[in-house]
Amino acid sequence: MIKKIPVNQLEPGMYVSDFNAGWLSHPFAFNSMLIESEANVAHVIAAGIRELFIDTEKGRDVGDGVATAMEAKQETESQVNRMAESARPLAPEPRVSLAEEMMRARSTFSEATRIIRNLMDDIRLGRQIEIATTKPTVEKIAASVMRNSNAMMTMRRLKSLDDYTFLHSVSVCAMLVSFAKVVDMEMSAIHDLALGAMLHDVGKMRVASAVLNKPARLSEDEYRHMKSHVVLGSDLIRQLPGIPSLAMEPIELHHERFDGSGYPKGLKGMEISPAGRMSSIVDVYDAITSDRVYRKGMSPAAAVQKLFEWSKFHFDPEMMQLFLKSVGIYPIGSLVKLESGRMGVVIEQSNSHLLTPVVRVMYDGKRQHYLVPEDVDLSRPLGSGGGDRIIGYELPEKFGIDISRFLL
Ligand SMILES: [Fe+2]
């Protein structure tokens, strides 16, 4: 049986089936392993892991009173749903339609990817860098998100496997702007924040590529070297003329964690600025939902549940609630199951309710065959295009569905 335990109950002989910390924030080769010694336990604690899953069939069991993985998952789901039901409406109505904004979002997204790629190449090659072209691009991203954030959120779901670091930079930028819109930040502050988001990982270009792209476990030294990207990037960007102080915050703070388990400074709670607390959530969300060469990304809806669960320790719970308002409980690209038995892909968030997005219905879950795609606005009553209800999310790989085919 899979059980969820706090890390202080972890003992040698137990088999960890899931470290419950995202792939990137722990230094273990695989997401499962037998705990062989007290040194292994200390290693897990040092990595900032607070709760994890053990498989009691493959290793030692734990005492009573511990939730099974299924119970823990259901508890998180019901907490997220309760939060969603009581949440106030989202940001104001989009100013233009999704179809209209998609055209601009597509060219802005690829322009931004090209610019950050060039900038990062310059850093890697030790050339002089300047950010004169980066500023207008991040302002274009911000303008697109302000007109209709669904377009940029669709573009980030369509990104390919290649060039993760560049695409991650653009994606984090777009998501942080969308988040800032929900927290009602002023436009000039949003521009500064977006610039910092775009540059948040530039320090990775000073990390050895053998470490940066290593799909296997990092040694202690390699992990330390990887973590140095925060300080390397901050030092590099801080000395550029005209860098606003707010732009430094995503760069310096995106790996800090609310419980003090992050790096480089191990700041805790409100010692981390609001922009820093926002950046860490967005960075992890994009990382765990992205496909990599060596693993498939998590479904957006599953990632929302995971982040909410981790927010007990790693993220500011209040910021987490605001983040959910910006992406929804079923973010764009989620495969959802409807009460009618049909299934579809979320293509647009609703402005009135977190649980009623627009869904492109395209699959009959009961008979397991494709349907002629139909866009259903779940915030509308029956007869005017709506009238169905989401009962949960599904994993596309279970049905062999390629989500990106239905996003455009
Ligand atoms: Fe980073």
Side-chain angles (χ1 to χ4, degrees):
M1 186 182 280
I2 308 291
K3 291 183 178 176
K4 186 178 183 185
I5 62 164
V7 74
N8 61 19
Q9 292 188 15
L10 186 66
E11 287 176 11
M14 288 179 175
Y15 188 89
V16 176
S17 63
D18 180 353
F19 284 104
N20 192 31
W23 290 271
L24 305 180
S25 55
H26 69 67
F28 309 106
F30 303 104
N31 208 23
S32 56
M33 68 183 256
L34 179 69
I35 299 295
E36 287 171 337
S37 61
E38 288 294 344
N40 283 161
V41 175
H43 200 187
V44 175
I45 294 170
I49 290 163
R50 299 303 177 102
E51 289 180 326
L52 37 70
F53 295 95
I54 57 164
D55 186 339
T56 60
E57 267 146 42
K58 292 185 178 169
R60 274 182 59 187
D61 201 349
V62 66
D64 293 336
V66 171
T68 63
M70 191 58 87
E71 287 164 351
K73 184 167 176 277
Q74 283 165 354
E75 175 59 21
T76 305
E77 264 174 35
S78 64
Q79 281 175 358
V80 170
N81 280 343
R82 273 201 301 277
M83 202 283 297
E85 271 155 20
S86 63
R88 285 181 294 109
L90 292 160
E93 283 289 321
R95 291 185 220 151
V96 302
S97 73
L98 175 58
E100 188 186 327
E101 190 54 36
M102 273 309 288
M103 287 183 284
R104 277 180 287 199
R106 194 188 311 260
S107 75
T108 299
F109 201 94
S110 58
E111 176 189 309
T113 310
R114 182 169 43 79
I115 282 177
I116 190 69
R117 181 200 308 267
N118 289 342
L119 185 86
M120 284 182 155
D121 279 348
D122 287 346
I123 292 172
R124 197 163 43 82
L125 298 169
R127 292 192 194 124
Q128 191 70 31
I129 57 163
E130 46 109 2
I131 50 154
T133 51
T134 314
K135 278 187 176 175
T137 305
V138 300
E139 287 172 17
K140 276 190 202 169
I141 292 175
S144 173
V145 171
M146 291 299 148
R147 285 188 296 266
N148 188 332
S149 61
N150 294 296
M152 274 290 165
M153 296 307 113
T154 303
M155 282 312 301
R156 65 167 291 282
R157 284 307 300 161
L158 293 172
K159 62 190 171 135
S160 63
L161 271 179
D162 309 329
D163 303 337
Y164 168 73
T165 307
F166 313 127
L167 296 167
H168 172 66
S169 305
V170 179
S171 183
V172 165
C173 175
M175 294 199 81
L176 204 53
V177 171
S178 173
F179 195 168
K181 186 176 162 187
V182 170
V183 303
D184 246 344
M185 209 178 257
E186 277 185 22
M187 204 57 213
S188 67
I190 290 180
H191 285 162
D192 294 350
L193 192 63
L195 179 63
M198 185 74 120
L199 302 172
H200 79 280
D201 262 348
V202 293
K204 283 193 175 164
M205 295 300 110
R206 293 281 164 88
V207 170
S209 64
V211 172
L212 190 64
N213 302 316
K214 188 173 174 182
R217 173 188 169 155
L218 300 181
S219 69
E220 293 281 337
D221 279 350
E222 288 168 333
Y223 191 49
R224 205 172 304 122
H225 179 48
M226 173 66 117
K227 292 202 281 191
S228 71
H229 79 274
V230 175
V231 172
L232 293 170
S234 308
D235 289 350
L236 190 75
I237 301 299
R238 194 181 302 108
Q239 38 116 8
L240 297 176
I243 286 287
S245 64
L246 185 57
M248 290 308 300
E249 295 183 16
I251 309 171
E252 289 172 345
L253 302 171
H254 71 278
H255 286 289
E256 298 290 351
R257 294 290 176 262
F258 203 59
D259 60 359
S261 65
Y263 60 87
K265 292 191 173 150
L267 298 175
K268 210 171 182 168
M270 301 300 157
E271 288 170 1
I272 311 166
S273 71
R277 280 176 270 142
M278 291 163 72
S279 305
S280 64
I281 295 173
V282 168
D283 182 50
V284 172
Y285 178 83
D286 188 69
I288 65 175
T289 53
S290 297
D291 288 341
R292 305 293 300 273
V293 177
Y294 47 88
R295 64 154 173 80
K296 185 107 188 82
M298 217 185 254
S299 133
V304 156
Q305 305 280 336
K306 270 289 160 204
L307 249 71
F308 187 83
E309 192 190 322
W310 294 334
S311 72
K312 263 194 281 180
F313 305 108
H314 291 182
F315 307 115
D316 175 357
E318 284 181 27
M319 279 297 184
M320 190 61 213
Q321 293 202 5
L322 293 167
F323 175 70
L324 293 190
K325 286 189 188 180
S326 79
V327 292
I329 303 303
Y330 301 102
I332 289 180
S334 303
L335 180 65
V336 292
K337 199 163 52 182
L338 303 178
E339 202 168 39
S340 62
R342 298 179 300 170
M343 287 163 55
V345 179
V346 175
I347 56 165
E348 207 168 342
Q349 290 300 318
S350 156
N351 290 289
S352 55
H353 204 285
L354 288 176
L355 296 170
T356 57
V358 180
V359 175
R360 183 157 292 158
V361 174
M362 34 50 92
Y363 198 76
D364 184 327
K366 287 182 196 148
R367 296 181 190 83
Q368 306 225 337
H369 63 73
Y370 285 96
L371 302 168
V372 176
E374 177 197 356
D375 294 350
V376 176
D377 183 345
L378 296 176
S379 68
R380 291 172 151 202
L382 188 68
S384 53
D388 214 336
R389 195 173 72 86
I390 295 178
I391 53 169
Y393 64 87
E394 282 288 358
L395 299 180
E397 44 282 18
K398 193 171 141 191
F399 299 87
I401 296 172
D402 175 7
I403 293 295
S404 59
R405 271 181 54 209
F406 299 97
L407 281 175
L408 286 174

